[in-house]
Amino acid sequence: MEFNNEGLDNIFFESLCKISEDYYFMENETGRSRWSPTAVNDFDLPGEYVNSSGAIIRSLVHPDDLKRYDAEISRIKNGETDFYQVDYRMRKRNGDYIKVGCRGNVIRNDEGRIIWFTGVITRLNGEVDPTTQIANVYVAARDIVETFKNSTAKGALMYLGIDNFKRINDLYTFSGGDEVIKKLALKLKGIIPPSAMLYRIDGDRFAIHYPYAVASDMQAIYNRAAEEAKEIRLSEKVDVSLTLSAGVCMYPQNAETPEKLRRNTQRAFERAKREGKNQITFYSQEIREQYIKKLRFTEVLKHSVKENFKGFELYYQPIVDPVTRKIVECEALLRWKNDEFPKASPADFIPVLEETGLIKEVGEWVVETAISQVKKWGDNDLIVNVNVSYKQLKDGNFAEYVLKIIDEYGYDPTKLVIELTESCKAHDISLLMKTLDKLREQHVLVALDDFGTGYASLDVLQDVSADLVKIEQKFVSGCRDNKVDRNIVKHIILLAHSLDMKVCMEGVETEEICQVAEEEKADTLQGYYFSRPVPAEEFGRMLQGNR
Ligand code: C2E
Ligand code: CA
């Protein structure tokens, strides 16, 4: 019989192929079949229309699964069944196997001869991560539970994550990011010992489970992995250099159950990230104690917010004119006084406020407190700066809130500066812009804080039409003795002025730096040289002596 396309040009088949991720096929009585375009692509089939595709598909089935596959096909051929279902591993174009489930149905004529053979092949993502083709988080969980069934089990679990992966996605798009993950997975597969298992547990994180390992084994794996990650070939022209963070928990000494093993590995991992990334951390008693302390800290902080911001206070630091040395602005800086945590600084509590989402309420409180305070001082020329982090802007109604407060207090919007902290710059600029535009339309001023660090600084300067930049303290403090810092300061000022932005040099601690500021034509200065941040009352007295 000659092959023909009869019945294969079917609208329903084409629609299915468009709307579903699965692979479809249909074969007519001549043995000619049609395959969905994704199948043609993923399995490197000769084309959409294929003659005798059975042999081609069979050649893609993993040799270890062939017996099962053949058994099922022969049940159809010898008329035992009209439906079939079989799971097997199937080889993709790139040589990797994916686990699939194939379900099919045959239609026979009166003599029992097959006249239609149709089916669907579904990726069984339940086990295999589709990007890397390695086992996924569910398999990891199952394997660990299995391990603990043996009461003498011992070994280690490691979480291994790519540092600043978001940057890779930003630079090379998501498909570039996926490629990096794939390449790294391949390298990791190559370096782990045969008895260790590799899993992808989420976006940029892998897990390595190594039964009977001791700590030095895990250290050795990390060292190799970190070495390999230094050079990942993305394309002929692009090499990406990654650093990795890892957390390890040894069992049974530090975890007697699968849940504790996962939890403690996660805590060690978080610790490695928090301590600056690019390192491996082993779970220890000290991490446990720190964790409990942080829980308590969070609880007490939450309680303070709920108790009408008990213990929160704004300090104010003067910002002066470099020539007259008079106070022209101030920056409101948050303080939190608490008996149980007397030493907590903004660096301790701001991140926790951000993690818990409390920064939204506290941030609103900051704006209202600062505005009402400036009103109380009654100095109509004084500008107040408040700090705002990305998390506060993300919720969408920050601008409305600020404008409402301005309205309620009859405050002059041109006397309010919103300082965007560095963390804002790494995020979704379009969302930032929307919020900032609403504020700027009403003449509220916007400053880029800690300017100079962060890879995106210059991009942001272009995208966010800010009114002001505040130069990062470390360049300012270094600019008298260090030529590079001096040059950075000089050029940030030139660049900002050319874009009609004013420049504040912060962290000014000496008269010499003031001289530099004057020479380079900074617009305002802030730093301990003039005053540390002080309580509202004290700042009020400073203002009186200022005029
Ligand atoms: P920042 O916005 O860069 O604030 C300047 C920090 O530098 C302040 O620390 C200030 O006390 C300190 N500083 C000022 N002059 C000098 C100087 O001459 N030398 C040195 N070494 N340091 C100086 P602080 O008050 O501990 O605040 C730290 C950070 O916490 C702030 O950095 C800001 O990012 C954040 N922050 C403070 N208040 C708020 C707030 O209300 N909301 C948000 N989202 N963040 C805040
Ligand atoms: Ca600031």
Side-chain angles (χ1 to χ4, degrees):
M1 187 188 290
E2 267 200 27
F3 295 111
N4 66 49
N5 282 353
E6 198 168 346
L8 295 178
D9 294 319
N10 180 306
I11 285 181
F12 186 55
F13 180 89
E14 284 158 12
S15 303
L16 275 182
C17 295
K18 276 187 198 145
I19 57 177
S20 165
E21 300 291 319
D22 295 335
Y23 309 110
Y24 291 95
F25 64 88
M26 58 194 299
E27 186 176 290
N28 65 19
E29 60 179 327
T30 70
R32 187 159 170 87
S33 59
R34 184 170 179 195
W35 289 81
S36 50
T38 47
V40 177
N41 180 56
D42 290 2
F43 300 115
D44 204 15
L45 302 180
E48 219 173 308
Y49 297 89
V50 184
N51 298 333
S52 310
S53 62
I56 296 174
I57 298 302
R58 190 177 183 280
S59 73
L60 300 174
V61 175
H62 193 286
D64 293 349
D65 298 332
L66 265 182
K67 215 165 147 191
R68 250 173 332 121
Y69 178 84
D70 287 342
E72 194 69 7
I73 296 288
S74 60
R75 280 192 345 117
I76 296 174
K77 286 203 172 142
N78 61 29
E80 227 180 287
T81 181
D82 287 342
F83 297 95
Y84 82 101
Q85 173 160 12
V86 60
D87 295 352
Y88 49 88
R89 282 161 291 175
M90 194 164 168
R91 196 174 64 240
K92 296 217 324 187
R93 178 189 286 268
N94 63 4
D96 284 329
Y97 281 94
I98 56 166
K99 198 158 185 194
V100 297
C102 181
R103 277 165 296 154
N105 170 224
V106 298
I107 297 171
R108 300 175 198 273
N109 65 10
D110 289 341
E111 290 122 33
R113 196 165 58 79
I114 297 174
I115 53 172
W116 279 109
F117 186 1
T118 58
V120 53
I121 299 176
T122 313
R123 275 172 279 226
L124 296 180
N125 290 347
E127 300 222 325
V128 175
D129 167 56
T131 310
T132 56
Q133 304 306 327
I134 61 175
N136 66 18
V137 64
Y138 304 110
V139 186
R142 196 184 60 204
D143 287 357
I144 289 165
V145 168
E146 278 303 309
T147 303
F148 275 84
K149 282 185 182 160
N150 174 356
S151 59
T152 60
K154 59 178 189 173
L157 180 66
M158 175 193 280
Y159 285 169
L160 188 66
I162 301 173
D163 295 332
N164 310 320
F165 185 64
K166 198 184 162 298
R167 194 174 59 97
I168 305 285
N169 274 335
D170 286 349
L171 286 173
Y172 304 109
T173 73
F174 284 110
S175 66
D178 273 359
E179 199 55 34
V180 167
I181 297 266
K182 247 192 252 176
K183 294 267 164 70
L184 180 64
L186 256 177
K187 289 189 167 208
L188 292 176
K189 256 196 257 179
I191 62 166
I192 60 169
S195 61
M197 270 293 289
L198 176 70
Y199 312 88
R200 181 175 183 201
I201 48 175
D202 54 32
D204 53 13
R205 246 176 357 149
F206 297 91
I208 295 168
H209 178 214
Y210 190 1
Y212 301 103
V214 293
S216 57
D217 295 328
M218 302 314 279
Q219 181 73 51
I221 291 180
Y222 174 77
N223 294 349
R224 283 282 312 269
E227 200 50 46
E228 292 284 345
K230 277 187 192 157
E231 205 175 297
I232 304 256
R233 174 133 298 189
L234 197 55
S235 68
E236 250 179 49
K237 292 204 182 91
V238 183
D239 283 332
V240 181
S241 180
L242 306 173
T243 62
L244 305 175
S245 293
V248 177
C249 179
M250 309 299 300
Y251 63 88
Q253 55 272 52
N254 285 320
E256 326 73 75
T257 63
E259 292 73 35
K260 283 188 186 160
L261 180 58
R262 284 203 299 269
R263 198 187 63 197
N264 294 346
T265 308
Q266 172 68 17
R267 285 185 191 163
F269 178 74
E270 282 167 8
R271 170 71 164 265
K273 286 260 182 193
R274 213 172 35 244
E275 303 271 293
K277 306 174 182 170
N278 191 19
Q279 59 189 285
I280 179 172
T281 302
F282 288 82
Y283 184 80
S284 66
Q285 192 59 24
E286 189 239 318
I287 293 187
R288 189 183 130 79
E289 280 158 17
Q290 274 242 334
Y291 186 80
I292 290 170
K293 195 166 163 200
K294 182 168 171 204
L295 281 185
R296 177 71 194 154
F297 183 77
T298 308
E299 199 183 310
V300 176
L301 194 61
K302 254 186 200 163
H303 191 72
S304 291
V305 175
K306 299 293 170 221
E307 291 266 291
N308 203 20
F309 306 99
K310 190 168 167 228
F312 284 98
E313 189 183 350
L314 286 185
Y315 273 35
Y316 299 86
Q317 187 178 28
I319 300 176
V320 306
D321 180 291
V323 181
T324 65
R325 304 284 168 97
K326 295 255 185 218
I327 301 174
V328 284
E329 295 179 28
C330 62
E331 176 171 0
L333 291 156
L334 193 57
R335 298 290 178 263
W336 180 55
K337 293 191 177 138
N338 180 273
D339 293 339
E340 200 175 328
F341 298 99
K343 292 203 185 92
S345 74
D348 302 315
F349 62 77
I350 302 264
V352 179
L353 290 174
E354 289 185 343
E355 276 163 36
T356 51
L358 291 168
I359 192 71
K360 187 167 176 281
E361 284 165 69
V362 175
E364 292 179 353
W365 178 86
V366 167
V367 170
E368 179 165 6
T369 308
I371 284 183
S372 71
Q373 185 58 61
V374 177
K375 274 276 169 184
K376 269 188 220 151
W377 286 323
D379 181 336
N380 291 333
D381 293 324
L382 183 72
I383 293 177
V384 66
N385 293 24
V386 295
N387 290 285
V388 173
S389 61
Y390 176 77
K391 288 256 167 58
Q392 287 170 258
L393 296 177
K394 201 167 66 101
D395 284 336
N397 57 5
F398 178 77
E400 284 77 2
Y401 182 83
V402 171
L403 296 174
K404 184 181 112 199
I405 294 295
I406 285 179
D407 193 46
E408 269 174 33
Y409 283 83
Y411 190 79
D412 177 358
T414 63
K415 298 288 180 279
L416 176 66
V417 175
I418 300 295
E419 292 192 7
L420 299 176
T421 56
E422 176 72 18
S423 67
C424 289
K425 298 172 194 166
H427 292 89
D428 182 351
I429 291 294
S430 66
L431 189 125
L432 262 182
M433 294 295 292
K434 259 195 215 146
T435 305
L436 296 182
D437 284 348
K438 282 187 206 148
L439 292 169
R440 298 187 82 244
E441 265 167 32
Q442 302 301 319
H443 313 292
V444 174
L445 304 172
V446 172
L448 297 176
D449 208 355
D450 308 320
F451 192 79
T453 51
Y455 69 98
S457 294
L458 288 175
D459 292 358
V460 171
L461 202 51
Q462 205 170 38
D463 293 341
V464 180
S465 41
D467 302 279
L468 184 84
V469 300
K470 295 186 78 170
I471 303 180
E472 160 75 27
Q473 295 194 13
K474 73 169 188 236
F475 300 125
V476 173
S477 56
C479 78
R480 211 186 75 87
D481 302 320
N482 179 323
K483 268 207 181 121
V484 177
D485 285 354
R486 171 82 185 240
N487 252 327
I488 290 175
V489 167
K490 183 191 178 95
H491 284 99
I492 290 178
I493 295 177
L494 283 173
L495 181 65
H497 283 170
S498 76
L499 294 166
D500 267 343
M501 295 178 188
K502 293 216 148 78
V503 178
C504 174
M505 274 170 67
E506 53 179 337
V508 175
E509 291 184 355
T510 61
E511 177 59 36
E512 285 84 352
I513 304 278
C514 293
Q515 304 292 332
V516 174
E518 247 187 276
E519 279 167 36
E520 303 300 351
K521 305 221 165 10
D523 299 277
T524 48
L525 307 180
Q526 175 182 1
Y528 292 170
Y529 182 63
F530 306 103
S531 167
R532 290 185 174 253
V534 295
E537 212 182 306
E538 200 177 328
F539 190 80
R541 284 196 293 275
M542 270 162 62
L543 267 185
Q544 278 172 359
N546 186 53
R547 302 283 171 202

